[in-house]
Amino acid sequence: MSDLPKIIQGGMGVAISNWRLAQTVARLGQLGVVSGTALDQVLARRLEDGDPGGHMRRAFDAFPFRVMAERVWNTYFIPGGKAPETSYTRLPTHGKACPRPLAEIGIIANFVEVFLAREGHSNPVGINYLEKIQTPHLVAIYGAMLAGVGFVLMGAGIPLKIPGVLDAYVNHQPASYPLYVVGAQEGDDTTMHFTPRDFMEGDLPPLTRPRFLPIIASNTLAVTMLKKANGKVDGFIIEGPTAGGHNAPPRGKLTLNELGEPVYGDRDRVDLEKMRELGVPFWLAGGYGGADALQQALDAGAAGVQVGTAFGYCEESGLRADYKQALLDQVVRGEARVFTDPVASPSGFPFKVVQLGGTMSDEEVYLDRPRICDLGYLREAYRTPGGEVGFRCSSEPVSIYLSKGGAEANTVGRKCICNALVATAGAPQTRAKGRIVEAGIVTSGDDLTGIARFMRPGSTSYTAADVIRVLLNTGSGVTQD
Ligand SMILES: Cc1cc2nc3c(=O)[nH]c(=O)nc-3n(C[C@H](O)[C@H](O)[C@H](O)COP(=O)(O)O)c2cc1C
């Protein structure tokens, strides 16, 4: 790969852009990015499923802290996998302080995903996090850096303090991160801390500082990041509102179209002339999954594009097979539909939801599910009346949320996308001895309706190489970069 990739395969959580997809893209000479969201949970479930293929074991064997690796392995691994009616183990939820067992599996999970994505080639790979999911950051980034991650990409927030964390970890120094706490008062202690030496089992050489690419949707945010971040910002991903996953909310007062989706306008457009003036590389995201779109981006001064949707449905992605095939069939029949849901995600950001029977997009499936919050990644931190840091989620049982000072209006239409997204990656929680199985939720960009363009004639699926071939207008999908 030349110094900067033309194509970034965007991070897609939970485990849609898994190590397998990112490794494939990286081998093809572009930037493969693993999702860093909820990796502790993903790893625990892979181990409880018996580690099919033995990939986790291979990565555990490469982890530098041997005692810790075996402790985590022995805690979760079930030879042959758990019985289908048995529930997966519930990990402790994240808080301001990270309990040691959670920190250990978090460090290893991030290491494993990056290690496997980097296996067998020498191109860089990236990891994607959502700034809004703050509590796992310090542990997760250290694990990813231990595995030599080349890029950290972060969306859904203003990650001013991440560069300082990356710099500290180069020499295994302690790092801290401010937790956003609703209602926090002057003098409250809201800073999270992590000390690598508490986990290291011997000295290690310095780590490489990954490049840092915030994902932004406005010029103002780009300028703020460059001026106020506590270290180097190496470039930006500029993501528009047609992109899959969470979208930045529209600027100004929220208005909805006749379908109930947020309306975006001129104020939401990023001025690329101004971006060029900043003098740092940038990539465009949101509907850039084609050769013409890539050329337009390059003509506009971008280093390239970040593409999600096209890769999300390719053979190598972690989207579970039954959903993937059903949606590819819908696309071919011209029936695929994506709804930008202004309320589904407890994060408060609009979230794109693919309409698919049997998933949480189905009103009946949603209403049927008792409200349970047992993963808790999207919980918000708030100041309790006693001055402590508490956590609440607008999709937890309404009475509990209200008892924590949450507003009832926030609970309407909220979905447990933590459980649903893990289910979409193929590891749904089962409850009540297997009688209840969590349903998934599929997210995608508006580009979904056009992905049949990647299928070869006579085929009902496509690979990551097909996507890259179409984007670069080449025969094989392999670049000489
Ligand atoms: C299934 C899916 C999951 C996504 N999850 C994330 C995520 O966890 N973090 C993130 O920053 N972006 C996420 N995105 C956005 C992508 O990284 C990328 O920026 C976007 O998909 C580009 O637009 P496109 O969908 O039109 O290609 C996701 C996109 C998809 C399709």
Side-chain angles (χ1 to χ4, degrees), residues 10-13 128 130 215 239 242-245 285-287 306-309 443-445:
M12 293 178 278
N128 172 284
L130 299 176
I215 301 167
E239 197 183 68
T242 63
Q306 171 166 287
V307 175
T309 299
T443 182
S444 164

Side-chain angles (χ1 to χ4, degrees), residues 120-201:
H121 63 91
S122 55
N123 287 330
V125 303
I127 194 162
N128 172 284
Y129 300 106
L130 299 176
E131 203 283 329
K132 191 106 182 170
I133 303 181
Q134 297 182 321
T135 42
H137 281 343
L138 289 173
V139 158
I141 292 173
Y142 185 61
M145 281 180 64
L146 277 177
V149 76
F151 288 79
V152 170
L153 301 90
M154 193 174 277
I158 309 178
L160 288 172
K161 306 283 188 209
I162 291 292
V165 176
L166 305 179
D167 293 336
Y169 286 163
V170 168
N171 288 310
H172 307 275
Q173 292 303 306
S176 57
Y177 198 80
L179 178 65
Y180 175 72
V181 179
V182 176
Q185 295 178 5
E186 186 98 24
D188 284 356
D189 176 12
T190 56
T191 306
M192 301 183 291
H193 302 277
F194 180 78
T195 303
R197 298 261 161 215
D198 291 347
F199 296 83
M200 292 168 72
E201 292 170 14

Side-chain angles (χ1 to χ4, degrees), residues 379-458:
R379 294 179 313 160
E380 77 178 354
Y382 71 100
R383 185 181 207 271
T384 67
E388 304 291 312
V389 177
F391 287 86
R392 64 189 175 204
C393 179
S394 50
S395 81
E396 72 185 332
V398 176
S399 56
I400 297 180
Y401 182 67
L402 300 186
S403 74
K404 296 174 183 170
E408 190 157 11
N410 289 345
T411 65
V412 180
R414 287 286 200 256
K415 297 181 168 156
C416 175
I417 68 169
C418 291
N419 266 292
L421 287 173
V422 179
T424 301
Q429 181 61 293
T430 55
R431 306 181 194 280
K433 299 202 164 47
R435 288 192 302 279
I436 300 175
V437 181
E438 287 282 357
I441 195 165
V442 185
T443 182
S444 164
D446 295 347
D447 201 20
L448 176 68
T449 52
I451 56 173
R453 67 184 180 278
F454 301 114
M455 294 175 187
R456 289 173 189 252

Side-chain angles (χ1 to χ4, degrees), residues 145-417:
M145 281 180 64
L146 277 177
V149 76
F151 288 79
V152 170
L153 301 90
M154 193 174 277
I158 309 178
L160 288 172
K161 306 283 188 209
I162 291 292
V165 176
L166 305 179
D167 293 336
Y169 286 163
V170 168
N171 288 310
H172 307 275
Q173 292 303 306
S176 57
Y177 198 80
L179 178 65
Y180 175 72
V181 179
V182 176
Q185 295 178 5
E186 186 98 24
D188 284 356
D189 176 12
T190 56
T191 306
M192 301 183 291
H193 302 277
F194 180 78
T195 303
R197 298 261 161 215
D198 291 347
F199 296 83
M200 292 168 72
E201 292 170 14
D203 278 338
L204 285 178
L207 303 174
T208 305
R209 197 265 197 198
R211 287 191 248 190
F212 179 53
L213 308 180
I215 301 167
I216 57 160
S218 78
N219 294 98
T220 322
L221 188 46
V223 173
T224 306
M225 284 302 308
L226 288 175
K227 277 201 183 140
K228 300 204 172 145
N230 64 350
K232 187 162 184 232
V233 173
D234 298 276
F236 293 103
I237 312 290
I238 303 172
E239 197 183 68
T242 63
H246 286 95
N247 301 134
R251 253 138 291 256
K253 191 172 170 299
L254 179 71
T255 52
L256 302 178
N257 66 16
E258 66 286 356
L259 297 172
E261 300 173 303
V263 177
Y264 290 84
D266 274 349
R267 288 175 65 200
D268 300 301
R269 260 184 216 110
V270 174
D271 183 337
L272 297 182
E273 176 69 43
K274 287 196 183 138
M275 283 304 301
R276 283 195 294 274
E277 287 165 11
L278 296 178
V280 294
F282 60 91
W283 288 259
L284 301 184
Y288 283 88
D292 290 349
L294 170 58
Q295 192 54 52
Q296 274 168 26
L298 295 173
D299 292 346
V305 294
Q306 171 166 287
V307 175
T309 299
F311 287 111
Y313 295 83
C314 75
E315 286 171 14
E316 295 88 347
S317 87
L319 176 60
R320 58 193 254 189
D322 53 344
Y323 289 0
K324 194 185 287 181
Q325 202 51 57
L327 286 167
L328 286 170
D329 293 347
Q330 279 190 17
V331 168
V332 169
R333 291 198 304 270
E335 291 168 4
R337 215 164 66 72
V338 182
F339 175 67
T340 307
D341 194 322
V343 296
S345 171
S347 70
F349 288 106
F351 185 63
K352 285 224 166 31
V353 180
V354 181
Q355 305 302 291
L356 179 65
T359 68
M360 293 299 266
S361 67
D362 194 328
E363 189 69 4
E364 247 179 71
V365 174
Y366 168 60
L367 293 173
D368 221 32
R369 180 186 185 274
R371 283 180 170 244
I372 298 168
C373 174
D374 59 356
L375 297 183
Y377 293 95
L378 282 168
R379 294 179 313 160
E380 77 178 354
Y382 71 100
R383 185 181 207 271
T384 67
E388 304 291 312
V389 177
F391 287 86
R392 64 189 175 204
C393 179
S394 50
S395 81
E396 72 185 332
V398 176
S399 56
I400 297 180
Y401 182 67
L402 300 186
S403 74
K404 296 174 183 170
E408 190 157 11
N410 289 345
T411 65
V412 180
R414 287 286 200 256
K415 297 181 168 156
C416 175
I417 68 169

